[in-house]
Amino acid sequence: MQTAIFGDIHGNIEALTAVLQTLSNLGVEKMYCTGDIVGYGASPRECLELVRDLGICSVRGNHDDYTTQTGGREWRIRPEAREVILWNRSQLGPEHLDWLRQLPHVHQEKHFSVVHASHVYVPQWPYILNERAAIHNFLFQPRSLCFCGHSHVPVYVSHRPGRRPQLDLLHNTLLPRRQSVAIGVGAVGQPRDNDPRACVVLFDDEVHSVRVVRVAYDVEGAQQRIRSAGLPDELAERLALGQ
Ligand code: ZN
């Protein structure tokens, strides 16, 4: 069966609807979300309601977390992210915030786990983009296969006991059976690998392979929405660059 894993939607409804249309065309029905449904983009409510109402199995991202906090934790993040988080709160009702709060940090299936950043929670939200972060993650990764987001870059990280972890950009590949693997699924709503197209990973549990699917979407529409909402222009500009 083909399963889609994607995340870092970041309130980009143009990107999310394009991804869902593509997955529908491919006949993919089972979907998982690695979190960060809100933050940065101008359609947090629409994205949240779509993920919720379609029953997409999702974990909680750091932006989902910050959006539900009222104790000032948001002040530790970059100013433009903070501004958007406060704006997000103003766009969401209590039922949306309650739904974000109940999202788990980790979801486990029989053969894989789904997490936003890493299975390490202290320090919170590390990026699995270097050897040290990879080693820490594999110490706590509960299954041999994990799908994660947060870096907004599609990456393939593998680990064989006694060896150093290997980090590469993610390409279509068969997955090894006797190694631990963490797959960074890239981002739907704000890719940062210089490719502005939305990113989704398809997992085939029979062949035991992953495939990277890039989906072109209405970037200008998403930019227009950010500018109309009065959010920082940098957030619109970076969408066209994939950064
Ligand atoms: Zn993110």
Side-chain angles (χ1 to χ4, degrees):
M1 188 179 74
Q2 292 249 75
T3 298
I5 305 100
F6 57 83
D8 290 290
I9 297 164
H10 284 298
N12 186 336
I13 192 68
E14 283 80 8
L16 178 59
T17 49
V19 162
L20 294 173
Q21 184 61 56
T22 297
L23 294 175
S24 170
N25 295 345
L26 291 169
V28 177
E29 289 175 3
K30 190 71 185 161
M31 295 179 274
Y32 295 85
C33 174
T34 56
D36 272 4
I37 297 158
V38 302
Y40 296 130
S43 308
R45 177 190 290 252
E46 293 85 345
C47 290
L48 186 154
E49 289 179 351
L50 205 44
V51 171
R52 181 191 65 191
D53 297 348
L54 288 172
I56 297 171
C57 179
S58 183
V59 294
R60 191 190 322 179
N62 54 319
H63 285 259
D64 307 322
D65 205 38
Y66 299 145
T67 301
T68 62
Q69 303 291 333
T70 51
R73 284 173 59 185
E74 71 272 21
W75 308 123
R76 279 187 243 150
I77 62 172
R78 294 196 308 278
E80 79 274 14
R82 183 194 67 183
E83 184 180 338
V84 180
I85 284 160
L86 294 175
W87 183 84
N88 268 264
R89 277 190 203 152
S90 73
Q91 302 297 306
L92 300 173
E95 78 277 18
H96 300 106
L97 295 172
D98 284 347
W99 186 81
L100 285 175
R101 270 189 209 102
Q102 58 79 43
L103 293 175
H105 281 291
V106 182
H107 175 80
Q108 291 188 42
E109 290 286 339
K110 190 174 175 195
H111 297 297
F112 63 86
S113 61
V114 180
V115 71
H116 180 61
S118 158
H119 290 89
V120 179
Y121 301 117
V122 181
Q124 274 197 317
W125 316 114
Y127 293 91
I128 308 182
L129 285 177
N130 58 60
E131 217 175 84
R132 187 183 158 92
I135 289 169
H136 284 167
N137 173 70
F138 286 122
L139 284 174
F140 297 97
Q141 186 172 307
R143 304 277 184 271
S144 61
L145 177 61
C146 150
F147 294 97
C148 60
H150 194 46
S151 70
H152 296 211
V153 176
V155 291
Y156 177 91
V157 189
S158 60
H159 185 231
R160 197 176 290 187
R163 303 258 187 103
R164 294 167 69 170
Q166 302 287 313
L167 290 91
D168 294 292
L169 282 177
L170 178 65
H171 301 288
N172 300 346
T173 185
L174 284 173
L175 295 169
R177 300 267 180 190
R178 296 176 194 279
Q179 288 180 32
S180 292
V181 173
I183 302 280
V185 299
V188 168
Q190 194 196 78
R192 294 180 192 163
D193 60 344
N194 301 313
D195 183 342
R197 295 175 298 169
C199 189
V200 189
V201 168
L202 297 184
F203 171 54
D204 186 319
D205 63 354
E206 284 154 28
V207 182
H208 207 59
S209 66
V210 287
R211 181 152 74 97
V212 186
V213 178
R214 299 307 289 249
V215 181
Y217 74 94
D218 179 14
V219 172
E220 287 181 7
Q223 291 177 311
Q224 187 54 48
R225 236 186 256 270
I226 288 172
R227 290 178 174 131
S228 300
L231 294 167
D233 200 58
E234 180 204 320
L235 297 175
E237 286 169 15
R238 66 189 301 177
L239 293 182
L241 304 171
Q243 289 176 2

